[in-house]
Structure formats: structure tokens, C-alpha cells
Amino acid sequence: MDMQDFIRRRNIKLLQEAIEKERDQSKRLVLERLLADQQRLDISGKRAQAAED
């Protein structure tokens, strides 16, 4: 696992925890969008890594 993978996975975990704790719906929506973006980046990174292997 390279550093970018580690950072993406850590960001995903932190965003999931923040979403669970956030009570303000508008802030929660922003966090959910950020989480979706991070998950897309994680999937893209995995595909790129598979293509290199």
C-alpha cells in the first residue's frame, strides 16, 4: 500500500466517523459528499494499481 492509499483510507474512516457524530443536516450532507468523493478516488486508485500489476 502506498502513501496515497493510506491517506485515502484514513480520510474515509475519519469522514465516516464525523458523519455519525454530526447532527447538523447541512454539515452532514457536505461530509457525505466528501466521503463519496474519497470513495471514488479509492476505487480509481485501486483500478490504476491493478492496471500497473
Side-chain angles (χ1 to χ4, degrees), residues 33-47:
R33 288 180 180 169
L34 288 171
L35 176 60
D37 288 344
Q38 284 296 313
Q39 289 171 330
R40 276 193 292 273
L41 288 172
D42 189 44
I43 291 168
S44 296
K46 288 177 184 174
R47 286 183 184 157

Side-chain angles (χ1 to χ4, degrees), residues 6-16 35 38:
F6 174 78
I7 292 170
R8 275 195 294 273
R9 290 190 181 125
R10 183 73 178 140
N11 284 345
I12 289 170
K13 182 178 178 185
L14 291 171
L15 284 166
Q16 288 170 333
L35 176 60
Q38 284 296 313

Side-chain angles (χ1 to χ4, degrees), residues 20-32:
E20 290 176 11
K21 294 176 184 175
E22 185 57 60
R23 294 184 182 185
D24 183 329
Q25 188 61 33
S26 61
K27 290 180 183 178
R28 193 177 176 133
L29 180 62
V30 171
L31 291 170
E32 288 171 350

